[in-house]
Amino acid sequence: MATKGRLFAGCTVALATPFRDGQVDYDALKRLVEWQIARGTAVLSPCGTTGESPTLSHEEHEKVIAVVVETTAGRAKVLAGTGSNATSEAISLTKFAQRVGADGTLQVTPYYNRPTQEGMYAHFARIAEVCDLPMMLYNIPSRCGRNLEPETVARLAELPQVVAIKEASGSLDQVSELVRSTNLTVVSGDDSLTLPMLAVGGEGVVSVVANLAPQRVQAMIDAFQQGQLAEARAIHQELFTLSRNLLGLSVNPVPVKAALEELGLCSSEVRLPLTGLTPPQRDQLRKALAEARIQA
């Protein structure tokens, strides 16, 4: 069956949020957006995990979304992270994203309070009931403590606002079941699994490594879709090595922000409880960037 939510197929960049002296650096945020657009990025996703949304105040969260929408000025789609483990907060953020012109919202599975499948269905359905923006569900059990089961996703897929899912369970069986049982656009939430997911019916990725190499990520997807499997595998191996050597140094987004600093795009500053790379890790990062030929 034809999938819905095709505007979120391909490479979506899970955008980092720059900080300086404890505050959001909005000038640097605009630079990141312009850098991505100059490289052909079609979709930007602010205020996700890579954007350190758990440590953004409500006011900062809204302003980051607004600045990204304003800066893109229609040159790229904006998939705003507006999820929360409080349904009322997710609704408030989603309504704001809709008012300022975002193209869709990324809605993470409620974390910490560990709702049942029925509770998760009711959570997402309530957001869809009061907000018209297209919604991408985000399943990441390792961070949220609950797996959004395919049967629940199939129920949610009947809602017109639910158009896609970012799947980060690590299970290709689950991806296959989502592709089989729903008409959602299924995208990877793990850079290392993008190509395997494409092979079983996925249509893209919400990518961390694309903060540094957006053209390569999109090129891999394009090569696969054009039947150029050897080319797709070669790019996958490059990106896999980069992800392991660089992003594996610490928890996301610590390494990617350090890499962005090496490229002169923003500070590597993160907010507690995250901490920056150690000097030896920074040396490893520089080596990984050089080997991957990443440059501004």
Side-chain angles (χ1 to χ4, degrees), residues 28-39:
L29 179 62
K30 294 173 186 177
R31 285 198 301 273
L32 291 181
V33 171
E34 292 292 352
W35 191 86
Q36 288 290 338
I37 290 174
R39 283 150 184 79

Side-chain angles (χ1 to χ4, degrees), residues 7-8 12 41-46 68 72 74-79 103-104:
L7 71 162
F8 301 128
T12 294
T41 294
V43 187
L44 293 167
S45 186
V68 172
T72 57
R75 294 173 294 166
K77 303 294 185 185
V78 177
L79 178 67
D103 300 282

Side-chain angles (χ1 to χ4, degrees), residues 51-133:
E52 294 178 77
S53 58
T55 62
L56 296 177
S57 70
H58 195 92
E59 180 181 11
E60 288 172 330
H61 198 132
E62 290 185 342
K63 187 170 180 180
V64 168
I65 292 171
V67 167
V68 172
V69 171
E70 180 181 5
T71 306
T72 57
R75 294 173 294 166
K77 303 294 185 185
V78 177
L79 178 67
T82 61
S84 173
N85 64 341
T87 306
S88 59
E89 181 177 37
I91 288 172
S92 175
L93 290 169
T94 302
K95 285 183 173 180
F96 176 85
Q98 183 169 340
R99 285 198 304 273
V100 298
D103 300 282
T105 67
L106 182 65
Q107 297 287 344
V108 71
T109 301
Y111 42 86
Y112 191 74
N113 39 20
R114 294 169 60 84
T116 63
Q117 295 297 311
E118 188 59 35
M120 286 188 277
Y121 176 84
H123 169 81
F124 292 121
R126 178 59 179 159
I127 299 167
E129 179 183 337
V130 298
C131 304
D132 294 331
L133 273 183

Side-chain angles (χ1 to χ4, degrees), residues 191-192 208-209 212 239-259 277-278 280-282 284-285 288-289:
D191 278 293
S192 62
V208 177
V209 76
L212 309 173
L239 294 171
F240 180 80
T241 301
L242 176 63
S243 295
R244 285 294 178 262
N245 289 347
L246 192 157
L247 303 184
L249 290 172
S250 184
V251 67
N252 181 45
V254 174
V256 75
K257 293 186 84 171
L277 296 181
T278 65
Q281 287 175 326
R282 181 66 79 122
Q284 289 179 260
L285 178 140
L289 290 175

Side-chain angles (χ1 to χ4, degrees), residues 49 106-109 136-140 143 165-166 168 189:
T49 307
L106 182 65
Q107 297 287 344
V108 71
T109 301
M136 178 185 286
L137 307 174
Y138 180 15
N139 183 40
I140 180 165
R143 286 186 181 268
I165 181 168
K166 176 184 177 183

Side-chain angles (χ1 to χ4, degrees), residues 200-214:
V200 297
E203 297 186 69
V205 61
V206 179
S207 172
V208 177
V209 76
N211 277 277
L212 309 173

